[in-house]
């Protein structure tokens, strides 16, 4: 068997489609199919069950694919060890980031990495937590910036910062007369939520679990709406459709209390006001995660240093 054949079966197991796997490996489908058939003949077993509608991995095939992924990682590690002998930071770093962190951290982070380690460009991937964890497991990305909690996948974890939440309300809302907000006050409002799959949606529901019921007759709740991104939801808030919770880094500096034109970050006619929580604010912990088998320790350390060099206003940095 060859590393190329192992690469092909990992791709088919991921895509569940020979054509898509061939495209991902930059080969023709016949080339990929012949190589996999040759491997199955050598092993004297079927790795995949084929039918007209889908490709399934056999039970033994699942074990073989997992071992193939490990072999491919170890083979890649040999090349990385050789690179580290010349320059531990040489070569791109594949970084995944969840949707509710990427837009607010990446612009500053990319500038920091370019200034500090130009020989280590970032290859960026935004996605949901569950997808990034899968990409980490398969070796498609090297590390990811995530918000806890997430399933224990035996990853190495380094805490980065604790980020408080603020309430975003229309600037015409009666709550804007207050300096703070409470969770009890939130229960009486129309809450705008991110769609299913966003971990930040779960964080909001931890603060206000009542909104998970989506019931019109539940006391104190009128209706909940869903949006595809935090920025979409902020515009819905600006239009007066309800209120929401947002992480601190997503709040423009111009929108904070005390800034000139505070709260005005959607133009002349639409406004959003951001209110902190009274007492201890709900927060999320943001971490950097990577496979324990990943060998570029210096690259991870430099990425952490670049993150800490970002402004990160209003968050509690963690060592």
């Amino acid at each position: 068997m060859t590393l190329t054949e192992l690469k092909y079966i990992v791709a088919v197991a991921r895509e569940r489609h020979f054509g898509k796997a061939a495209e991902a490996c930059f080969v023709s489908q016949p080339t990929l199919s012949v190589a996999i058939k040759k491997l199955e003949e050598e092993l004297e077993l079927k790795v995949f069950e084929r039918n007209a509608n889908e490709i399934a991995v056999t039970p033994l095939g699942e074990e073989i694919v997992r071992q193939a992924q490990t072999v491919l990682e170890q083979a890649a590690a040999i090349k990385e060890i050789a690179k580290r002998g010349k320059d531990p930071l040489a070569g791109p770093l594949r970084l995944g980031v969840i949707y509710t962190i990427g837009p607010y951290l990446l612009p500053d982070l990319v500038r920091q990495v370019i200034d500090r380690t130009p020989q280590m460009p970032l290859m960026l991937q935004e996605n949901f937590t569950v997808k990034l964890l899968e990409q980490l497991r398969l070796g498609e990305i090297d590390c990811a910036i995530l918000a806890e909690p997430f399933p224990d996948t035996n990853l190495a974890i380094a805490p980065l910062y604790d980020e408080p939440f603020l309430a975003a309300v229309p600037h015409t809302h009666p709550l804007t007369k207050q300096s703070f907000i409470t969770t009890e006050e939130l229960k009486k409002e129309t809450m705008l939520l991110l769609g299913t799959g966003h971990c930040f949606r779960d964080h909001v529901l931890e603060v206000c679990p009542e909104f998970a019921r989506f019931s019109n007759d539940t006391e104190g709740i009128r209706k909940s709406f869903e949006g595809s991104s935090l920025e979409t939801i902020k515009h819905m808030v600006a239009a007066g459709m309800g209120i929401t919770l947002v992480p601190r880094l997503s709040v423009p500096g111009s929108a904070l209390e005390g800034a000139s034109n505070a709260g005005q970050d959607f133009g002349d006619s639409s406004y959003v006001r951001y209110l902190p929580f009274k007492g201890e604010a709900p927060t999320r912990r943001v971490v950097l995660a990577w496979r324990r088998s990943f060998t570029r320790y210096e690259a991870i350390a430099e990425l952490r240093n670049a993150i800490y060099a970002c402004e990160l206003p209003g968050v509690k940095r963690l060592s």
Side-chain angles (χ1 to χ4, degrees), residues 3 14 38-40 51 56-57 77 79 89 101 110-111 132-133 166 198 220 244 255 257 271 276 279 288 292:
L3 291 177
R14 180 181 65 245
K38 174 178 172 291
L39 178 63
E40 290 179 324
N51 59 50
V57 187
K79 295 181 180 180
L89 302 178
I101 292 178
V110 169
R111 286 192 294 269
L132 293 178
L133 290 173
L166 284 78
H198 290 275
T244 194
E257 194 70 35
Y271 304 92
L288 180 63
R292 295 184 183 277

Side-chain angles (χ1 to χ4, degrees), residues 82-103:
K83 285 182 182 179
R84 288 171 58 198
K86 301 175 184 178
D87 182 354
L89 302 178
L93 185 68
R94 299 172 298 173
L95 172 65
V97 187
I98 58 174
Y99 291 116
T100 57
I101 292 178

Side-chain angles (χ1 to χ4, degrees), residues 4 26-27 35 44 100 126 131 155 169 210 246 291:
T4 299
F26 303 102
V27 296
E44 297 182 348
T100 57
E126 270 191 308
K131 180 62 176 177
L155 296 171
V169 303
E210 294 83 0
V246 297
R291 293 184 308 283

Side-chain angles (χ1 to χ4, degrees), residues 60-122:
L60 275 177
E62 292 279 4
E63 294 185 41
I64 291 171
V65 169
R66 283 197 296 270
Q67 187 62 37
Q69 180 61 50
T70 300
V71 171
L72 292 172
E73 286 186 16
Q74 294 301 320
I78 294 174
K79 295 181 180 180
E80 293 298 337
I81 290 170
K83 285 182 182 179
R84 288 171 58 198
K86 301 175 184 178
D87 182 354
L89 302 178
L93 185 68
R94 299 172 298 173
L95 172 65
V97 187
I98 58 174
Y99 291 116
T100 57
I101 292 178
Y104 316 112
L105 177 62
L106 288 181
D108 196 2
L109 177 58
V110 169
R111 286 192 294 269
Q112 293 292 341
V113 171
I114 290 174
D115 290 342
R116 300 166 67 91
T117 52
Q119 74 275 35
M120 188 185 76
L122 294 179

Side-chain angles (χ1 to χ4, degrees), residues 110-316:
V110 169
R111 286 192 294 269
Q112 293 292 341
V113 171
I114 290 174
D115 290 342
R116 300 166 67 91
T117 52
Q119 74 275 35
M120 188 185 76
L122 294 179
M123 297 180 64
L124 302 172
Q125 166 78 249
E126 270 191 308
N127 220 312
F128 297 111
T129 298
V130 64
K131 180 62 176 177
L132 293 178
L133 290 173
E134 179 71 5
Q135 290 177 322
L136 275 174
R137 186 181 69 81
L138 294 175
E140 296 176 359
I141 57 176
D142 301 319
C143 52
I145 299 175
L146 308 168
E148 291 184 330
F150 49 82
D152 182 7
T153 53
N154 198 33
L155 296 171
I157 303 291
L160 296 174
Y161 55 84
D162 286 340
E163 183 176 20
F165 303 158
L166 284 78
V169 303
H171 109 287
T172 56
H173 196 287
L175 284 172
T176 59
K177 298 176 182 178
Q178 304 177 184
S179 298
F180 300 94
I181 196 168
T182 67
T183 54
E184 288 300 316
E185 289 170 326
L186 289 178
K187 296 176 183 178
K188 305 171 185 177
E189 302 298 329
T190 299
M191 178 66 76
L192 308 178
L193 299 173
L194 284 170
T196 303
H198 290 275
C199 63
F200 191 73
R201 170 195 176 91
D202 300 327
H203 296 153
V204 173
L205 292 178
E206 286 180 9
V207 178
C208 300
E210 294 83 0
F211 289 106
R213 302 172 188 172
F214 299 103
S215 172
N216 288 330
D217 57 2
T218 303
E219 183 179 355
I221 301 174
R222 293 200 297 273
K223 191 176 181 182
S224 294
F225 296 87
E226 295 185 1
S228 59
S229 73
L230 278 179
E231 295 307 306
T232 298
I233 289 182
K234 284 188 194 178
H235 282 280
M236 293 166 69
V237 171
M241 297 178 65
I243 70 174
T244 194
L245 298 188
V246 297
R248 173 61 180 81
L249 291 185
S250 74
V251 179
S254 62
L256 296 176
E257 194 70 35
S260 59
N261 298 322
Q264 302 179 22
D265 66 326
F266 288 96
D268 295 333
S269 59
S270 300
Y271 304 92
V272 175
R273 173 88 181 279
Y274 296 90
L275 297 175
F277 279 81
K278 187 174 184 179
E280 186 175 353
T283 63
R284 66 175 178 179
R285 173 155 295 183
V286 176
V287 302
L288 180 63
W290 66 96
R291 293 184 308 283
R292 295 184 183 277
S293 60
F294 187 59
T295 58
R296 295 179 63 190
Y297 312 115
E298 297 86 351
I300 294 294
E302 278 302 318
L303 178 62
R304 290 184 68 191
N305 291 336
I307 293 171
Y308 288 135
C310 296
E311 289 189 15
L312 303 179
V315 307
K316 179 182 178 182

